[in-house]
Amino acid sequence: MKQALVLGAGIMGLSAAWGLRRDGWSVRVIDQDPIPNPRGASVDHHRLIRHAYGTDAGYMRMVDDAYLAWDRLWGDLGEALYVPTGVLVLSQDGGARFQDGRRTLLADGRAVEDLTPEAALARYPFLDLTGLACAYALAPGGVLLADRIVAALHRHLQAAGVVFEQALVAEVDPARATLRLADGSERAAELLVVAAGPWAPRLLPGLRGRVTASRQVLAYLEPPPALRAAWAAAPMLLDLQSAEEAAAGGFYAVPPVAGTPLKVGDHRFSLAGDAEDPRSASAAEIEAILAEVRPRLRDFAAYQVIGGAACYYDVEPRERFLLEPLGEATWVMSGFSGHGFKFGPLLGLALARAIAAPGVAAALPGWAAGQAAPDDALREAWT
């Protein structure tokens, strides 16, 4: 049986292991921490899946294929760890960033429901109309229960015979498809996949400058009693600053589904910090997030701040995924920039297909970067 070695047990490493195991590979996964790794970018209550992607039509269309790949994973896991919520996109001025994204959706035939501020408030009473110019809603979209997915996929792969090893990797040799561990021992296989998240630039010098570790802060809230019912049926919120204020970013909010807290985060990338830093968030970091959210939510002073946390993204400057060969027998999965989780199973299946079909492999980097449609040979991996 062909031997594969995967470095990293976040959603990308586990998805690669899943795709390869389905294709008949014997797989060993190495991670420096227990799984789910509490320091991993994949491990939090939730991640989002939606078609609202600004002007990036490539990734918008890839979401359709991502849903098919998730359906295949749900079949293997025996449960769907997903809550459909829909999407609500807000703007304080109806500026270019909001309008260009809306036009991209409409041009692709997506059903966009425009809402006046008054209509949005009537439907979503937790909103504050102050400074809200316009909004639109999309019915598709929802919340992926990220930490539960990682845990369930880990269990599934163990049952399927995938070997997991907790060890610290000191060096990656792409040319030889080997890993040297901190204890001096070596692991080798016919195929090596490096999916080390924000640690990848430390281990692969060629990624430095292409991928940057970025500290991202989240805040968790408890809505006031009068608004809990409204939040229980709420969509995800995407608040977009105008293009002229893109550095400010705006915020996103994840509703409190399936027993999780209401979560808010910032669209901005810090592009700072070190992946080895603690994951606790300071009061100042949490307040910076709340300052973005406060003007948009009614009676915000009545919300209870449960806490906050930091995670680290691996950010590519154009937010393009890197799924590419580093040698004859080594591939890297990196640069997921906070929006990669929704595509994890899709990329895992695609990688496994590319390993088996060199013609597919040549097209994989451009497709993963959102710049090309998948050909029929690649789409067979998830349909």
Side-chain angles (χ1 to χ4, degrees), residues 5 27 32 166:
L5 186 59
V27 182
Q32 62 186 332
Q166 184 176 342

Side-chain angles (χ1 to χ4, degrees), residues 56-60 62 319-321 364-373:
D56 202 328
Y59 285 128
M60 175 190 68
M62 197 185 288
E319 300 182 46
R320 301 291 178 185
F321 305 155
L364 192 59
W367 168 77
Q371 297 172 332

Side-chain angles (χ1 to χ4, degrees), residues 47-83:
R47 291 292 184 265
L48 302 176
I49 182 168
R50 85 280 180 176
H51 290 91
Y53 245 95
T55 59
D56 202 328
Y59 285 128
M60 175 190 68
R61 294 174 185 136
M62 197 185 288
V63 170
D64 293 328
D65 292 324
Y67 271 115
L68 296 176
W70 282 110
D71 285 343
R72 180 161 289 190
L73 180 60
W74 304 146
D76 281 3
L77 298 184
E79 59 180 334
L81 297 168
Y82 167 73
V83 181

